[in-house]
Amino acid sequence: MQVPATLSPSSISLFRTCPLAWRLDYIERLERTPSLDANIGTFVHAGAEALCELPPARRTIDEARAVATAAWATHIEDEEWQSLEIAADRVPQVKWRAWRAVQRWFELEDPGAVTVAGCELWVHGAVGGVAMRGIVDRLDIDEVTGGFVVTDCKSGKMPMSAYQDERLFGVWVYAHLVAEEHTSRPVTKVRHLYLGERPGEVIRDVTPEALATTAEVVTSTHREMVRACASGEFETRKGVLCDWCSFKPSCPAFGGDLVALLTHGTRRVERRKPVDENQQTLAGELAIAPVGR
Ligand code: SF4
């Protein structure tokens, strides 16, 4: 077994949560149970991206409603939505939930007042000596400092304060990667916008210490991944997230038959295009030129 050549923040986070779940997901590439929360998140992200591509004056709630209505018709035709097998009488409730997330976005900020440098940007590079990649939801310009703000919208509820910092791990990795590609404009903030039932914003100033801590986490987790892949031993870590784990029915920590899963489980077909087809440099996609250009 080998650690994938390039890692994403979610891969690192999953290994830290449970090494066995990481193996089943990222090494064995076993099918996961379709998730309604993830599906709603995809819809909200796509809508927010479409709206942010409009001129600021057009980023209104009425325009958002028009964008969301048109996008919903396409969304429910998608294979991922179909796999959820939502009963027809539940669809209006799910649609309302998705729309409420969009409304909460407008309650948290005025999208027309945000200077958006780019949306859904591929970033890649080395963090702590490990090759990392990912997609930045939104890169904004901080009106005060002129620096970049790495913003990620979450369709779930805002976590309690004790868990907020660990959830920011992905945007810290992106702060590293953006800073590496764009030295002419500093990355000054990382931010999560939670659009679920308990909405809110979590924002942190970027400091060299915080970036160094992120890099250390990446390096040490990668080291543990290499060790686990070499030995074939992947620990189970029971916790609150087990209830959302696709592999729980086969997990040995819950009396499941892991060997049967590894032997007969369905492997995922990769839906995403290969990285080099998608991958564009950040500089090539930015709507706002970096400072000094
Ligand atoms: S159910 Fe829990 S312990 Fe088992 S693989 Fe999933 S996250 Fe790990």
Side-chain angles (χ1 to χ4, degrees):
M1 254 177 272
Q2 280 205 320
V3 178
T6 311
L7 299 174
S8 64
S10 352
S11 167
I12 298 265
S13 295
L14 184 57
F15 187 92
R16 287 164 60 75
T17 303
C18 174
L20 179 63
W22 177 80
R23 174 191 171 183
L24 300 175
D25 195 341
Y26 286 91
I27 303 289
E28 306 294 343
R29 310 200 67 75
L30 288 160
E31 283 277 8
R32 306 180 201 111
T33 314
S35 152
L36 177 60
D37 288 348
N39 188 267
I40 289 177
T42 304
F43 174 78
V44 173
H45 273 104
E49 184 189 358
L51 206 71
C52 283
E53 280 169 359
L54 296 174
R58 286 188 58 199
R59 294 182 208 146
T60 63
I61 191 78
D62 287 340
E63 194 79 47
R65 191 177 290 109
V67 166
T69 303
W72 185 259
T74 316
H75 183 72
I76 57 174
E77 293 298 318
D78 191 79
E79 193 185 314
E80 204 173 302
W81 167 268
Q82 304 279 347
S83 71
L84 291 165
E85 299 178 352
I86 309 273
D89 61 350
R90 261 193 78 210
V91 172
Q93 185 196 336
V94 175
K95 187 178 178 184
W96 172 247
R97 206 177 128 195
W99 172 244
R100 273 300 292 139
V102 177
Q103 283 182 319
R104 290 189 193 108
W105 175 32
F106 279 78
E107 289 159 15
L108 287 173
E109 67 178 7
D110 172 4
V114 179
T115 306
V116 179
C119 291
E120 299 290 311
L121 300 167
W122 264 102
V123 283
H124 53 99
V127 178
V130 177
M132 299 286 296
R133 61 168 165 74
I135 299 172
V136 177
D137 266 3
R138 221 175 75 193
L139 196 61
D140 303 332
I141 303 295
D142 186 334
E143 295 304 323
V144 178
T145 64
F148 284 129
V149 183
V150 177
T151 298
D152 200 353
C153 292
K154 301 284 181 195
S155 52
K157 59 185 174 191
M158 186 159 84
M160 307 307 280
S161 53
Y163 301 101
Q164 290 173 0
D165 280 297
E166 67 184 68
R167 300 280 173 85
L168 286 170
F169 176 71
V171 281
W172 279 112
V173 170
Y174 294 149
H176 260 281
L177 298 176
V178 170
E180 201 172 290
E181 292 196 37
H182 273 276
T183 50
S184 55
R185 190 186 281 269
V187 183
T188 50
K189 286 185 170 61
V190 293
R191 186 164 86 120
H192 269 176
L193 283 182
Y194 288 94
L195 309 178
E197 276 172 22
R198 190 170 55 235
E201 176 191 52
V202 179
I203 186 161
R204 300 285 183 265
D205 288 329
V206 171
T207 61
E209 294 76 21
L211 289 173
T213 303
T214 306
E216 280 163 24
V217 169
V218 171
T219 310
S220 62
T221 310
H222 183 260
R223 203 178 299 128
E224 286 178 43
M225 287 174 171
V226 171
R227 210 177 293 136
C229 284
S231 67
E233 284 172 25
F234 293 84
E235 183 192 334
T236 52
R237 279 183 204 152
K238 283 171 86 169
V240 285
L241 294 179
C242 293
D243 286 342
W244 284 270
C245 176
S246 298
F247 313 114
K248 189 177 178 185
S250 307
C251 174
F254 291 89
D257 187 345
L258 182 63
V259 175
L261 176 69
L262 290 170
T263 311
H264 306 295
T266 311
R267 264 62 186 176
R268 294 199 296 274
V269 178
E270 201 51 75
R271 288 161 58 86
R272 190 191 292 154
K273 288 181 199 163
V275 168
D276 55 359
E277 270 185 48
N278 266 332
Q279 214 164 22
Q280 294 168 291
T281 64
L282 187 56
E285 292 196 4
L286 284 181
I288 305 274
V291 166
R293 292 199 180 177

